[in-house]
Amino acid sequence: MQLKLESNTYIPPVHGLRLLQIAIVFLFIIFCARFWYLQVHRGEDFARLAFENRMRYEKTFAARGEIYDRNGMLLAENHIAFGIALVREDTPDIDASLAQIGEWTNLSLETIRERYNDNKVHAQIFDPIFLVQNLPFEVIVPIQAELNEWPGVQIIPLPIRNYPQKHNFAHIMGYVAEAKPEELKKDPNLALADIVGRQGIEYVLESRLRGRKGLKRMEVDVLGRILKNSPIQEAKAGNNIVLNLDAKLQEGVSKAMGDHSGSVVVLNPDTGAIRAFVTQPSYDNNLFVTGFSQKEWDAVRNHPRFPLQNRTIQSIFPPGSVWKLMMVGMLLENGIDPKETVFCNGTYTLGDRVFRCWRKGGHGQVDMEKSIVSSCDVYYFVMGESMGIDKMEQFARASGFGSKTGIDLPHENKGLVPSRDWKLRRFKERWQKGDTVNASIGQGYILVTPIQLAVFIGALINDGKLLQPQLLASEKPYINGFLPFRDEYKEMIKEYMVKTVNSGYGATARILHRDDMTIGGKTGTAQVVKIKMVGDRRKKNEEMDFYERDHAWMGTWGEKDGERVVVVTMLEHGGGGASAAGPVTRDIYKLLFPIEKE
Amino acid sequence: MKFLNLPEKRVFLDMNWTLVLAVLILFFVGLVNLYSASSMRLESGITHAPFYSRQLMWGLLGLMIMSTCAILSYKMVERFAVVVYVFTIFLLLLVPIMGKSVYGAQRWLDLGFFSLQPSEIAKFAVLLMGARFLAGDGEALGWFGLFKILLIGFIPFVFIVQQPDLGTGLTVMFLVGGMALFHGIKWKVLRTCLIIIPLCLPLAWFALHDYQKERILTFLDPTRDPRGAGYHIIQSQIAIGSGEITGKGFQAGTQSQLRFLPEKHTDFAIAVFGEEWGFVGSIGIIILFCFFLFAIYSTVSEAKDRFGSTLCAGIFFYFFWQIVVNIGMVVGLMPVVGIPLPFISYGGTSMAVNCGLIGLVLSVSMYRYVFKS
């Protein structure tokens, strides 16, 4: 064939060929270097990332420890409820899923979205974000059926705390709640939607009750489908706790108190074990777990008598005449002869101030025994003033007042033992003799908690040991200190208390008298406002506004067949110690030591 | 002059068999890799998607296209370059008028019995037209010459980018530029271009679509969107890097088997390979591609006329560009542009086009001695 050739001598452009050669070398060098960097230099890093990609760790819940009373009655248990959660990384359409969850649960989209936005901040990658909690089984069943169509949406069974005793133990149990962001930040063991104790025993014993979560490792594909599931660590349930309290007694005491607000402590004086610990009014602590309705919350928050207040340890009151027990101890230790008498004509005058005895006509000649049994005020006005506030402060502190008893509950108040320094600091005023006179009968500045008085009375009959009150059955007795009274003096005080109950005419705690056991007691009527007169008689409590009525105290101990108890009753604005606190205390002794029928 | 030169035996032996060998090896490596990439590990075990078997079918089809192109006389093809080019422009014009949309881009012409992507034909058209233009004389290109050759690429480029398909558009421009560089540009002109082009790049930024800007930004910092656009980049580097030196073994790559790796059949196929065969395998495949490019190079250097040589150089740049962009993207050296890896990635269209182009190179190699006789 004949072809017109361009040329037989065509030579490709040299620079062009060089360009192609360079291109090949360039490609080789660049990619070899890059592969070396990725696969050799940083290979281990990427291998770890690839491993983390497919391995997911999931925590398994540990059951929170249960709480029982001394007889094995359940006080706090776990029910199973269900929560709906969403894993962002597995959810193709988050908005639609949120809307669907709202539809399932009858919650508004805004509520769900708000929960989502609040919670996602603290969620790590692949963490389920809880949107709804505490759903019962009936609600969950139909949702479960549709779940396949909503990847990323999970139903997670969650234990929910239940307190079968409700009001009866609300202040002691406290409650649990979902961990707050601050708590999550502080405690690495906490994850989203975990519950933590917020109040009471639940709060104090958090670490023992919580247990330890388990860990599961799962191999998943990119859609989060689980291919392999291997537990790494089993969940360990929290410890069960047994309390010294007696649920039946607790309920009985509550009934005995009727409509009164106030506090009752029943204590074993030998061990410090608390057998009953009642505060009224109370609330249903389950509502803190499941959530208050607005109406329920308003009812609790706006209640005129503050049901959330734990009166036994958080409220402080003037002790009134119960204080005289401490005073007697102090007088004896300071060499006052119990036979020494003071004449009581119903008033005591200091300068231009007149201090009145509760008994208008006076008690006549009063010695120490009579001062307790008939609770004469003038005796203590005279004696207290002669002792002075400094001694009184010293003995009061040594008797456990003005400091916490160390009970296993949060927010204990330490009360107040006044002193010269204290008044100067607090009011920028010098201590007056009149202040001492007032303090002598447990009025004025002195403030105590019911639990402090119970510990003090316990120490009178247990050889002086100021014991830490114990809610937990497992705790050994712990001695905070010793009463600064000699044994013979304590015996005398005990005897006076028994006489206050048992002697005939004039015994202020006569209402407690029982033939089958020994009870010692001391009444107290703590004024809230100055005594008001109606004409020439004192205004009666029933005639006063509730918040101006006296606080009624009854500090007692009882013994039968070697078993001893301390019962302290405090009725807030309850009126007279004997008339209001007396019957309540009597009923409590009936519960503790039932009267045998012949 | 015959349209088809059914070759004599001697001519047949002259064919660039090295290139055929390189293509076949690449194809089979790709097929094996695809087998692994299409396996899915489920709870019940491993199942396979039918990608590898279809790829085998595409391969056979490609082989037919390659043979056809190889026995076409490329001198004849040169004559039709202008017709092909004008016809292609016409098809590209039709796309926005009557093309069908897939995934928001309008690239296909539905011809009833089969769908056609005019942008793929444009690659041939531009190669042929460019080579024909440059075959005129051996003079280095001046300003006007450079303008004309770039215009040949730029007209289809504008249409293709409109579709939008920036990847193919850039491919076209790159191979035109490559051919011009191969042919030779006057030093004065080249020097000026080297200064001006970098200065113009910021202007190009404003011409990009938002999603394209996003891709470039994500390439520069994948962590700005680790669950979205950055996900591809991060997961593919994890896949390759976790292969370490010797790899995780065939069908044992967790990134691909558990589908953390996106687009593992197509654009990210090499990541599957890197994960399962490690650094050793990666280097092997790079060497294989260099071998492949070198085989094309040998035809470029041995061609006995300017058209054939320039055409092959264009084809060289075409493959070079795809390899660099694809692997560059997978290893995180380049932004994510949807360009498949020749013979490794799954896909019928690219297989057909690639085989056709290899066929042209073979045609040039076969006829290099014809004119001697």
Side-chain angles (χ1 to χ4, degrees):
Chain A
M1 63 181 123
Q2 256 334 79
L3 283 173
K4 227 168 103 192
L5 296 180
E6 184 187 32
S7 90
N8 259 335
T9 57
Y10 168 75
I11 299 164
V14 181
H15 292 299
L17 290 177
R18 184 60 42 80
L19 182 67
L20 301 196
Q21 292 165 4
I22 292 170
I24 295 175
V25 173
F26 162 84
L27 184 142
F28 181 79
I29 291 175
I30 290 289
F31 287 135
C32 284
R34 183 63 179 176
F35 278 113
W36 183 86
Y37 172 75
L38 289 178
Q39 299 185 296
V40 181
H41 185 66
R42 290 199 52 202
E44 274 178 46
D45 297 348
F46 284 116
R48 185 172 44 77
L49 288 174
F51 183 78
E52 282 169 10
N53 249 347
R54 69 195 164 97
M55 292 304 172
R56 266 190 219 175
Y57 294 88
E58 197 178 276
K59 288 175 182 151
T60 49
F61 279 98
R64 199 174 172 83
E66 292 174 335
I67 304 176
Y68 298 91
D69 87 337
R70 65 186 318 161
N71 300 317
M73 187 104 89
L74 208 49
L75 303 180
E77 59 183 339
N78 303 307
H79 283 174
I80 282 291
F82 297 87
I84 299 185
L86 180 142
V87 177
R88 276 171 301 180
E89 288 74 10
D90 294 337
T91 310
D93 188 342
I94 288 177
D95 285 331
S97 303
L98 292 181
Q100 182 63 44
I101 291 168
E103 201 174 297
W104 280 330
T105 54
N106 279 329
L107 290 169
S108 71
L109 180 57
E110 291 80 63
T111 317
I112 303 267
R113 195 183 298 281
E114 199 178 308
R115 290 271 291 173
Y116 173 74
N117 288 332
D118 288 352
N119 283 345
K120 76 175 176 188
V121 185
H122 309 285
Q124 293 173 347
I125 287 180
F126 292 116
D127 265 358
I129 299 170
F130 280 90
L131 300 171
V132 195
Q133 270 165 291
N134 299 336
L135 292 172
F137 188 65
E138 311 85 71
V139 178
I140 283 302
V141 172
I143 301 176
Q144 186 85 48
E146 292 176 47
L147 215 54
N148 275 344
E149 294 159 38
W150 298 95
V153 179
Q154 298 180 354
I155 289 177
I156 297 179
L158 280 178
I160 179 179
R161 205 65 161 160
N162 182 50
Y163 306 104
Q165 291 285 328
K166 297 181 184 171
H167 299 72
N168 256 343
F169 277 81
H171 294 97
I172 304 156
M173 292 292 109
Y175 50 87
V176 293
E178 216 174 307
K180 289 182 202 159
E182 307 92 78
E183 292 167 319
L184 291 176
K185 227 177 277 172
K186 248 194 310 198
D187 189 342
N189 292 324
L190 282 177
L192 222 54
D194 278 1
I195 55 169
V196 290
R198 257 305 137 60
Q199 273 295 347
I201 290 280
E202 294 274 26
Y203 171 79
V204 175
L205 298 184
E206 173 64 22
S207 57
R208 282 161 73 174
L209 287 166
R210 193 194 288 170
R212 195 192 60 204
K213 281 189 194 164
L215 195 62
K216 274 193 303 192
R217 190 174 70 192
M218 294 173 300
E219 188 171 2
V220 296
D221 68 9
V222 70
L223 292 180
R225 284 182 290 219
I226 298 160
L227 304 174
K228 231 193 263 170
N229 193 338
S230 39
I232 294 179
Q233 191 178 58
E234 294 292 338
K236 196 166 154 274
N239 293 330
N240 289 348
I241 306 277
V242 178
L243 301 186
N244 283 320
L245 291 154
D246 179 335
K248 258 199 199 138
L249 178 65
Q250 186 90 353
E251 198 182 342
V253 169
S254 205
K255 270 198 195 119
M257 286 172 79
D259 287 336
H260 284 293
S261 30
S263 156
V264 168
V265 183
V266 178
L267 193 74
N268 179 336
D270 298 305
T271 60
I274 299 177
R275 293 178 59 183
F277 185 97
V278 178
T279 282
Q280 291 221 120
S282 188
Y283 58 94
D284 182 357
N285 50 343
N286 287 299
L287 292 176
F288 275 97
V289 179
T290 54
F292 283 91
S293 71
Q294 190 61 42
K295 206 173 136 200
E296 288 163 336
W297 177 237
D298 286 344
V300 168
R301 199 181 45 180
N302 301 332
H303 193 290
R305 300 200 199 169
F306 312 108
L308 297 178
Q309 179 90 359
N310 184 348
R311 287 171 164 75
T312 314
I313 59 165
Q314 291 175 359
S315 298
I316 43 178
F317 308 94
S321 298
V322 186
W323 190 247
K324 290 168 185 167
L325 299 172
M326 199 290 295
M327 293 295 290
V328 165
M330 178 186 78
L331 296 176
L332 290 168
E333 282 293 325
N334 282 284
I336 300 292
D337 183 349
K339 297 217 170 56
E340 193 181 327
T341 60
V342 168
F343 185 77
C344 167
N345 63 1
T347 57
Y348 175 71
T349 311
L350 183 78
D352 54 356
R353 285 182 73 183
V354 178
F355 297 87
R356 290 172 199 280
C357 184
W358 67 274
R359 191 184 167 118
K360 204 180 157 231
H363 292 88
Q365 288 295 340
V366 176
D367 65 358
M368 191 176 275
E369 182 184 313
K370 194 177 176 191
S371 78
I372 291 283
V373 173
S374 42
S375 200
C376 174
D377 290 338
V378 171
Y379 180 87
Y380 291 95
F381 292 152
V382 175
M383 289 296 181
E385 208 225 313
S386 70
M387 287 291 139
I389 186 62
D390 297 335
K391 275 211 180 83
M392 211 187 292
E393 185 206 354
Q394 180 202 335
F395 274 87
R397 289 201 183 282
S399 303
F401 296 103
S403 57
K404 295 181 181 181
T405 63
I407 190 172
D408 279 334
L409 286 176
H411 314 303
E412 188 185 354
N413 198 311
K414 62 179 183 177
L416 178 65
V417 175
S419 68
R420 291 176 200 279
D421 280 353
W422 171 83
K423 195 181 175 196
L424 208 56
R425 272 199 317 273
R426 177 74 176 76
F427 294 109
K428 311 266 182 283
E429 269 177 37
R430 284 184 49 234
W431 186 266
Q432 308 274 324
K433 280 197 168 161
D435 296 331
T436 312
V437 173
N438 258 332
S440 304
I441 57 160
Q443 291 285 163
Y445 299 119
I446 291 177
L447 294 168
V448 302
T449 60
I451 193 78
Q452 282 175 335
L453 261 186
V455 168
F456 170 75
I457 292 172
L460 287 175
I461 61 171
N462 73 1
D463 303 326
K465 290 174 293 212
L466 290 163
L467 291 169
Q468 184 174 311
Q470 307 289 8
L471 285 170
L472 269 64
S474 57
E475 292 297 313
K476 298 267 178 305
Y478 179 83
I479 301 170
N480 278 326
F482 286 91
L483 272 190
F485 309 146
R486 257 165 274 184
D487 286 349
E488 65 237 58
Y489 298 155
K490 283 186 298 233
E491 282 307 316
M492 287 171 71
I493 298 172
K494 273 175 71 179
E495 206 187 303
Y496 294 157
M497 289 177 81
V498 173
K499 281 186 176 154
T500 308
V501 172
N502 288 348
S503 50
Y505 177 75
T508 42
R510 177 77 194 168
I511 190 166
L512 298 181
H513 173 77
R514 274 169 67 164
D515 288 332
D516 60 337
M517 66 179 292
T518 316
I519 295 177
K522 180 76 201 77
T523 58
T525 306
Q527 289 161 27
V528 178
V529 290
K530 265 185 87 173
I531 291 174
K532 290 193 175 158
M533 306 296 281
V534 184
D536 62 348
R537 74 172 172 88
R538 284 181 60 172
K539 208 171 176 179
K540 284 182 179 159
N541 264 299
E542 301 79 61
E543 295 165 350
M544 293 195 268
D545 284 343
F546 179 79
Y547 293 104
E548 293 188 345
R549 291 182 196 169
D550 298 337
H551 296 314
W553 281 100
M554 187 67 98
T556 68
W557 57 267
E559 184 171 359
K560 186 184 184 187
D561 306 332
E563 188 189 347
R564 304 199 288 184
V565 291
V566 168
V567 177
V568 171
T569 306
M570 206 298 302
L571 302 180
E572 207 175 42
H573 306 295
S579 57
V584 173
T585 313
R586 178 195 61 204
D587 291 351
I588 294 169
Y589 272 103
K590 277 185 196 160
L591 290 168
L592 287 163
F593 303 98
I595 298 172
E596 290 148 40
K597 284 180 184 148
E598 289 129 48
Chain B
M1 185 172 157
K2 285 184 276 181
F3 189 75
L4 276 180
N5 262 335
L6 283 177
E8 303 153 31
K9 195 182 175 189
R10 203 176 60 82
V11 173
F12 194 64
L13 287 175
D14 282 338
M15 200 170 78
N16 189 344
W17 288 105
T18 320
L19 183 57
V20 176
L21 181 69
V23 168
L24 284 178
I25 296 176
L26 276 174
F27 176 72
F28 281 108
V29 168
L31 203 61
V32 167
N33 186 51
L34 210 50
Y35 180 81
S36 177
S38 47
S39 70
M40 288 184 292
R41 223 169 90 202
L42 302 173
E43 267 171 294
S44 49
I46 292 180
T47 58
H48 285 90
F51 286 106
Y52 66 98
S53 50
R54 273 195 247 146
Q55 179 80 341
L56 188 62
M57 206 182 71
W58 291 123
L60 294 174
L61 185 73
L63 207 58
M64 280 154 59
I65 295 173
M66 196 194 299
S67 318
T68 313
C69 289
I71 55 175
L72 275 176
S73 161
Y74 75 93
K75 289 304 263 184
M76 272 303 296
V77 171
E78 185 182 2
R79 293 204 165 174
F80 287 96
V82 179
V83 181
V84 171
Y85 185 78
V86 172
F87 182 66
T88 304
I89 300 296
F90 172 70
L91 288 180
L92 283 172
L93 268 169
L94 279 183
V95 170
I97 300 164
M98 49 178 289
K100 61 175 179 183
S101 287
V102 179
Y103 296 126
Q106 214 173 15
R107 297 174 185 173
W108 296 80
L109 274 181
D110 197 344
L111 302 181
F113 54 99
F114 86 117
S115 294
L116 188 75
Q117 250 182 313
S119 55
E120 296 298 322
I121 301 177
K123 293 171 185 168
F124 282 94
V126 170
L127 276 168
L128 293 173
M129 189 67 193
R132 185 188 152 97
F133 171 75
L134 292 170
D137 61 52
E139 282 290 299
L141 291 168
W143 278 115
F144 191 54
L146 184 63
F147 173 76
K148 280 196 280 192
I149 180 76
L150 288 181
L151 193 65
I152 289 171
F154 192 71
I155 294 167
F157 171 80
V158 170
F159 288 116
I160 294 169
V161 168
Q162 286 303 315
Q163 289 177 354
D165 186 357
L166 188 64
T168 308
L170 287 174
T171 308
V172 166
M173 282 316 281
F174 184 83
L175 61 89
V176 166
M179 279 196 290
L181 277 173
F182 171 78
H183 181 83
I185 300 172
K186 286 199 173 114
W187 175 236
K188 217 174 58 184
V189 176
L190 183 64
R191 200 176 47 190
T192 315
C193 287
L194 287 178
I195 295 166
I196 289 171
I197 290 172
L199 292 177
C200 292
L201 280 179
L203 290 176
W205 175 259
F206 297 104
L208 291 173
H209 286 276
D210 282 343
Y211 81 93
Q212 289 163 337
K213 288 181 191 170
E214 190 65 25
R215 277 189 189 174
I216 291 174
L217 288 175
T218 308
F219 158 69
L220 295 173
D221 179 15
T223 54
R224 68 195 293 269
D225 186 12
R227 295 262 141 221
Y231 182 79
H232 287 41
I233 300 173
I234 294 169
Q235 292 302 330
S236 116
Q237 288 189 49
I238 291 176
I240 293 179
S242 64
E244 299 187 79
I245 295 175
T246 51
K248 297 179 187 168
F250 185 56
Q251 293 200 335
T254 54
Q255 284 288 101
S256 64
Q257 302 292 322
L258 302 176
R259 278 160 291 168
F260 289 101
L261 192 64
E263 306 283 333
K264 55 182 177 154
H265 304 103
T266 54
D267 295 354
F268 286 87
I270 184 81
V272 177
F273 192 83
E275 184 182 20
E276 298 189 347
W277 302 97
F279 182 64
V280 176
S282 305
I283 294 304
I285 214 156
I286 293 300
I287 290 173
L288 205 52
F289 272 117
C290 290
F291 175 62
F292 165 75
L293 287 174
F294 186 79
I296 301 178
Y297 167 84
S298 67
T299 297
V300 174
S301 66
E302 286 169 6
K304 285 297 175 243
D305 71 333
R306 194 174 303 282
F307 175 75
S309 156
T310 312
L311 179 66
C312 291
I315 293 169
F316 176 95
F317 281 110
Y318 170 76
F319 284 112
F320 177 78
W321 165 258
Q322 297 203 46
I323 295 163
V324 168
V325 172
N326 179 277
I327 302 184
M329 163 184 86
V330 174
V331 299
L333 289 175
M334 289 229 165
V336 174
V337 183
I339 288 183
L341 189 59
F343 306 110
I344 302 290
S345 293
Y346 171 80
T349 309
S350 66
M351 180 66 77
V353 172
N354 292 340
C355 286
L357 291 172
I358 294 298
L360 286 180
V361 176
L362 294 179
S363 169
V364 173
S365 72
M366 260 201 290
Y367 293 101
R368 63 195 152 151
Y369 299 121
V370 166
F371 311 110
K372 278 183 193 164
S373 53

